[in-house]
């Protein structure tokens, strides 16, 4: 076996779901967090909740881990492989849920835990030139432009805090937007997230440990098989989405032109074409996605793939697959 094959590394989404929950591998996770949060992070424990339990119907493209650091703060990491509507609303819900899960009824508000939400995105969430975005609540003077400091009385002492010490922080990592030559720890981590490459001489926190602990051929044969199926499911899902988008656009343009001409005669050519194209594209994409999903599911079923794997790859229901 070549050295290159021996140094094949497990994708971070799989590692974070299966391996980095183990205390022996916290150093990899701590290195990742240290680099992306910009301060030394020590993970005390991995927390379980409704949001990150390993359920039988867990979607392959949603990977969550929830950790508590040495300060008692909560860190949520989520990896999203495919497009999802209302993604920002979903991560907001996850943060709110984490806050309520970690304060008991009757406790004082100052016991609310600060939350860090880190999203590793393998799809285009919107327009922007950077691969790393950070967001947080701040209160800025409308006229003075200064930041408000909050003063509270705790244990007979006046404590001054910035809102940044209390409100959640959101970090969006746009993996596909990264096209740099890796020279800094942050860039080395981005290279690993995007291409699965870890330099042999890396000094980036966590990556040296990852080189030793996340090697593909260190897994058992059973785990390697499950990992390979995971990669296949991601590839199939992306193929479904890309094909559906292409087919939908083609059908949408045809239907949009027809509807646009008809409506254009009555309401104006410009408005009719615009509405027709918009509606046609939406309906076409949806119908194209469904047709492509059924076709792929039919082929996978003929190959003998388990129904659970077909559901993950196509997002069809059990009943729809049974009827094929």
């Amino acid at each position: 076996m070549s050295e290159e094959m021996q140094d094949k590394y497990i994708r971070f989404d799989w590692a974070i779901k299966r391996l980095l929950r183990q205390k022996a591998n916290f150093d990899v996770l701590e290195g990742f967090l240290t680099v992306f949060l910009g301060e030394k992070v020590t993970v005390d424990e991995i927390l379980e909740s409704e949001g990150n339990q390993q359920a039988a119907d867990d979607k392959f493209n949603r990977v969550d881990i929830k950790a508590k650091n040495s300060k008692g703060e909560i860190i949520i990491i989520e990896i999203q492989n495919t497009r999802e509507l209302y993604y920002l609303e979903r991560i907001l819900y996850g943060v709110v849920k984490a806050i309520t899960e970690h304060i008991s009824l009757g406790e004082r508000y100052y016991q609310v835990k600060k939350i860090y939400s880190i999203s590793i995105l393998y799809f285009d969430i919107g327009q922007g030139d950077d691969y790393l975005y950070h967001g947080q609540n701040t209160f800025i003077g409308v006229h003075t432009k200064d930041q408000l400091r909050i003063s509270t009385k705790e244990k007979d002492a006046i404590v001054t805090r910035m809102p940044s010490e209390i409100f959640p922080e959101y970090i969006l990592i746009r993996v596909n937007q990264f096209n740099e030559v890796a020279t800094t720890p942050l860039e080395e981590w981005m290279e690993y997230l995007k291409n699965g490459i870890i330099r042999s001489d890396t000094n980036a926190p966590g990556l040296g440990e990852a080189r030793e602990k996340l090697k593909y051929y260190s897994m058992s044969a059973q785990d390697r098989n499950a990992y390979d199926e995971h990669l296949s499911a991601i590839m199939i899902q992306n193929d479904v989405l890309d094909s559906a988008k292409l087919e939908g656009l083609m059908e949408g343009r045809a239907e949009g032109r027809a509807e646009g001409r008809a409506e254009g005669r009555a309401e104006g050519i410009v408005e009719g074409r615009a509405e027709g194209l918009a509606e046609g594209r939406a309906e076409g994409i949806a119908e194209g996605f469904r047709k492509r999903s059924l076709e792929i599911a039919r082929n996978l079923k003929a190959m003998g793939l388990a129904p659970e794997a077909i559901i993950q790859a196509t997002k069809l229901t059990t009943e729809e697959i049974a009827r094929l």
Side-chain angles (χ1 to χ4, degrees):
M1 186 185 303
S2 69
E3 183 177 348
E4 182 179 351
M5 290 297 291
Q6 288 178 343
D7 286 346
K8 180 180 177 182
Y9 299 106
I10 303 165
R11 276 175 54 121
F12 195 61
D13 60 345
W14 178 266
I16 212 170
K17 193 178 184 71
R18 304 291 179 118
L19 303 176
L20 301 187
R21 295 173 177 273
Q22 303 167 9
K23 196 171 184 64
N25 296 331
F26 278 5
D27 46 5
V28 178
L29 183 59
E30 288 171 348
F32 168 81
L33 294 173
T34 294
V35 168
F36 282 91
L37 293 181
E39 61 178 286
K40 175 65 178 176
V41 175
T42 301
V43 175
D44 276 1
E45 61 179 314
I46 301 299
L47 304 171
E48 295 297 337
S49 71
E50 295 178 17
N52 70 338
Q53 288 175 350
Q54 301 299 298
D57 59 350
D58 187 24
K59 297 298 183 185
F60 76 92
N61 67 330
R62 180 174 179 178
V63 181
D64 298 300
I65 194 167
K66 187 166 73 166
K68 184 174 76 173
N69 66 14
S70 56
K71 300 177 184 178
E73 299 166 331
I74 309 301
I75 302 170
I76 300 171
I77 306 172
E78 183 169 334
I79 299 179
Q80 185 74 15
N81 284 308
T82 56
R83 300 173 185 87
E84 179 173 327
L85 292 175
Y86 311 116
Y87 185 77
L88 293 182
E89 289 85 346
R90 181 155 71 76
I91 62 175
L92 173 61
Y93 175 79
V95 166
V96 173
K97 191 170 183 62
I99 292 173
T100 57
E101 282 179 344
H102 294 280
I103 185 168
S104 302
L105 187 64
E107 287 186 333
R108 297 182 179 181
Y109 286 125
Y110 75 80
Q111 294 173 296
V112 166
K113 304 297 183 185
K114 176 168 177 175
I115 308 292
Y116 294 89
S117 173
I118 303 175
S119 296
I120 305 173
L121 308 176
Y122 286 87
F123 69 100
D124 188 7
I125 196 172
Q127 296 181 346
D129 296 328
D130 210 331
Y131 59 84
L132 185 64
Y133 285 85
H134 175 266
Q136 188 178 31
N137 297 72
T138 57
F139 295 95
I140 306 298
V142 174
H143 303 99
T144 61
K145 307 304 179 185
D146 65 318
Q147 288 195 36
L148 179 66
R149 293 178 178 270
I150 308 298
S151 297
T152 59
K153 186 176 182 180
E154 295 179 17
K155 300 178 180 178
D156 298 322
I158 299 298
V159 178
T160 301
R161 285 198 180 100
M162 296 295 291
S164 59
E165 299 177 69
I166 303 168
F167 283 95
E169 294 189 36
Y170 300 88
I171 294 175
L172 302 182
I173 304 170
R174 303 171 68 211
V175 177
N176 295 335
Q177 194 70 21
F178 177 73
N179 294 302
E180 308 293 333
V181 176
T183 58
T184 68
L186 175 61
E187 291 167 346
E188 287 188 47
W189 263 102
M190 290 299 303
E191 186 172 43
Y192 169 51
L193 293 177
K194 183 174 183 178
N195 301 315
I197 296 173
I198 305 177
R199 290 168 40 175
S200 59
D201 61 345
T202 182
N203 291 315
L207 283 184
E209 293 81 358
R211 274 182 58 84
E212 299 302 318
K213 299 179 178 181
L214 302 185
K215 286 187 177 180
Y216 175 79
Y217 286 98
S218 295
M219 290 192 292
S220 67
Q222 181 179 2
D223 285 341
R224 283 203 304 271
N225 182 60
Y227 175 68
D228 290 339
E229 287 189 1
H230 167 75
L231 296 184
S232 297
I234 290 175
M235 293 174 63
I236 291 170
Q237 180 68 19
N238 287 332
D239 180 62
V240 168
L241 289 169
D242 291 341
S243 298
K245 184 178 180 180
L246 178 60
E247 293 172 10
L249 284 173
M250 293 172 64
E251 294 179 19
R253 287 193 183 105
E255 294 178 15
R257 289 191 186 101
E259 293 178 17
R261 289 192 188 103
E263 294 179 14
R265 293 189 185 97
E267 301 177 8
I269 293 175
V270 175
E271 291 184 6
R273 280 180 177 163
E275 292 179 11
L277 282 168
E279 293 177 8
R281 280 175 180 157
E283 293 176 6
I285 289 172
E287 182 60 25
F289 180 85
R290 177 170 174 75
K291 286 180 180 178
R292 183 62 173 165
S293 296
L294 289 170
E295 178 185 347
I296 290 176
R298 193 176 292 109
N299 292 336
L300 293 178
K301 189 174 182 179
M303 292 167 58
L305 200 65
E308 294 78 10
I310 300 176
I311 291 171
Q312 287 184 336
T314 63
K315 293 189 177 179
L316 294 174
T317 64
T318 304
E319 293 74 16
E320 287 174 319
I321 293 173
R323 289 197 295 268
L324 294 175

